[in-house]
Amino acid sequence: MENANFTQPTPIQQKAIPLALDGHDILGLAQTGTGKTLAFGLPIVDQLLAEQGRPAPKTAKALVLAPTRELVNQIADNLRPLVKGTKTKVTTIVGGQSINRQINALERGTDIVVATPGRLIDLMDRGAVKLSTVRYLVLDEADQMLDMGFIHALRKIAPQLGTPRQTMLFSATMPKQLEQLSQQYLTNPQKVQVSPPGKTADKIEQAVEFLEQGQKPHRLREILSEDLDALTLVFARTKHGAERLMKKLVADGYNAASIHGNKSQGQRDRAIKAFREGEITILVATDVAARGIDIPGVAYVINYDLPNVPESYVHRIGRTARAGREGKAIAFCSNEERLLLRDIEKLVGKNFGAMDGEGAALAKSKKPAKKQGNRNKSRRNPAPKSEARREGAPAKRNRNRRRRGKGGNSGGGDAPRAGLTRMLGADGS
């Protein structure tokens, strides 16, 4: 506890941790940014520290599966402070990194493996890891694993795990297939739900702007130029679209980078690190970043393209308003995307605007009102020198960026191990 600054549990942690410590299987439903990682991480670490003996070579005691490399790294970063000063080890297994290095790490045995399913199966096929000693299984962001087709990988991994075991499934949404998955892999689970599936965070100010596809570049630059120092996450639908948009922004003078499936893991890690530290202020991404980026300072999320899967909208905008902060999410909707918007509205229970029967936008794009305060101070743009400049692109970045606070408790940072029951209350309240 001395090495941690976690003092107050979030609602999902307050409800899930006592049940997990009692050995129950858990079905946890909560919106992004509410601390699901520590809701399963704290009980697992607490129980592992109470066990005797070190793991045998090529074995592990706990397995956490996550759909993306970024989420695997985030989970591991949240777990490592909990085991600091102990012999408990956390090992990450993801694609895009040296498989030989991962084989060497597993050769010595580990306590907690945090992995993407694909690379884990590669190592299983090579005989580099044995899962028969795993007694704790976590499926994090399970709905996205289903969307990405990892259900087949899970069916290959699960029979290799030890029994009996404790299984915990956490997700922000609850599609029908996920409910079927929980029935297959969880035994008499305790359902923990702190918000309706698909509900977005209350502190996210959401807006949809109806405009033609060709108007999107100009409108994006207008919004970005209103607050050049704000950390802004821009979502595109495809890898090529994200890269093309990023290059155009950089050419126009914006401080931008991109992450998507065509980037190496090193490139993705460096881009996220630079974004987190404010070295770049605009990150253009595909849904690879919809989960696994826990950066409290993100002020804006812009859905340049609406996602094909409505649940992805919830996860995308969940990258802002984290750790109790406020944030703004703006979505661009062209006529071609009208059906995607209707699916999103149905999921989140919100009507963003009326459209006629043919899908033509009845609402015109309006420039959003600026918030009060220093963060959205007005800026003067230079005289246009090109089409990009006419769209409001900056000629020069402000080098004296404001620092953003890193405090708050989203459940994504350090947390104490000892005294969990006392901290939560004897009855978990």
Side-chain angles (χ1 to χ4, degrees), residues 249-267:
L249 289 174
V250 171
D252 293 346
Y254 289 93
N255 190 13
S258 66
I259 61 171
H260 49 72
N262 283 348
K263 295 281 188 178
S264 70
Q265 187 60 42
Q267 290 174 317

Side-chain angles (χ1 to χ4, degrees), residues 39-328:
F40 63 76
L42 282 167
I44 289 177
V45 169
D46 188 71
Q47 294 175 86
L48 288 180
L49 291 174
E51 294 180 1
Q52 299 295 323
R54 303 183 64 177
K58 299 184 179 181
T59 70
K61 297 180 179 181
L63 172 63
V64 181
L65 292 176
T68 67
R69 306 169 190 175
E70 283 73 24
L71 185 54
V72 165
N73 292 333
Q74 176 188 310
I75 292 170
D77 288 343
N78 293 337
L79 293 179
R80 288 192 174 108
L82 307 182
V83 301
K84 185 177 181 180
T86 74
K87 295 182 179 180
T88 303
K89 294 188 294 183
V90 178
T91 302
T92 57
I93 301 296
V94 297
Q97 295 182 353
S98 170
I99 194 169
N100 290 328
R101 186 176 301 171
Q102 293 171 357
I103 290 174
N104 291 335
L106 291 169
E107 179 68 32
R108 298 184 292 272
T110 189
D111 295 280
I112 303 174
V113 168
V114 189
T116 53
R119 175 52 66 89
L120 180 62
I121 288 179
D122 287 344
L123 291 167
M124 290 168 58
D125 291 342
R126 292 170 181 248
V129 60
K130 300 175 183 178
L131 302 178
S132 59
T133 57
V134 170
R135 294 293 185 268
Y136 306 95
L137 171 65
V138 177
L139 306 177
D140 195 21
E141 303 292 6
D143 51 351
Q144 190 184 18
M145 283 201 280
L146 293 178
D147 292 340
M148 298 175 67
F150 286 140
I151 183 63
H152 303 293
L154 180 59
R155 288 171 179 160
K156 187 173 182 178
I157 293 169
Q160 306 301 317
L161 304 177
T163 55
R165 66 174 178 270
Q166 182 180 27
T167 302
M168 292 180 274
L169 185 154
F170 284 82
S171 179
T173 62
M174 189 65 176
K176 184 176 180 180
Q177 191 179 8
L178 183 59
E179 186 174 353
Q180 296 171 346
L181 182 73
S182 67
Q183 294 172 356
Q184 183 176 359
Y185 292 102
L186 277 64
T187 302
N188 299 322
Q190 297 291 312
K191 187 174 181 179
V192 177
Q193 181 174 329
V194 298
S195 62
K199 187 179 186 299
T200 55
D202 293 333
K203 292 189 177 182
I204 301 176
E205 180 185 346
Q206 300 177 63
V208 173
E209 299 193 9
F210 302 103
L211 66 169
E212 299 297 332
Q213 189 68 27
Q215 296 175 313
K216 289 185 179 182
H218 174 78
R219 184 66 185 119
L220 176 64
R221 286 161 175 79
E222 283 186 332
I223 295 173
L224 293 176
S225 296
E226 288 179 356
D227 192 352
L228 297 176
D229 292 335
L231 294 185
T232 303
L233 188 54
V234 181
F235 281 101
R237 186 176 297 116
T238 67
K239 296 178 286 188
H240 296 294
E243 187 68 11
R244 183 167 57 250
L245 179 58
M246 180 275 293
K247 288 182 177 179
K248 288 182 179 178
L249 289 174
V250 171
D252 293 346
Y254 289 93
N255 190 13
S258 66
I259 61 171
H260 49 72
N262 283 348
K263 295 281 188 178
S264 70
Q265 187 60 42
Q267 290 174 317
R268 288 155 67 166
D269 290 343
R270 287 191 292 273
I272 291 175
K273 182 176 184 292
F275 187 58
R276 183 187 303 275
E277 296 176 355
E279 295 176 8
I280 63 157
T281 54
I282 302 167
L283 187 63
V284 185
T286 59
D287 280 328
V288 73
R291 314 187 200 196
I293 293 185
D294 186 6
I295 301 176
V298 175
Y300 297 93
V301 170
I302 299 176
N303 281 284
Y304 188 84
D305 299 314
L306 292 182
N308 292 323
V309 179
E311 286 82 5
S312 294
Y313 173 82
V314 177
H315 295 291
R316 286 181 178 188
I317 70 172
R319 300 309 99 195
T320 188
R322 299 181 75 83
R325 291 173 169 81
E326 296 182 351
K328 186 166 187 177

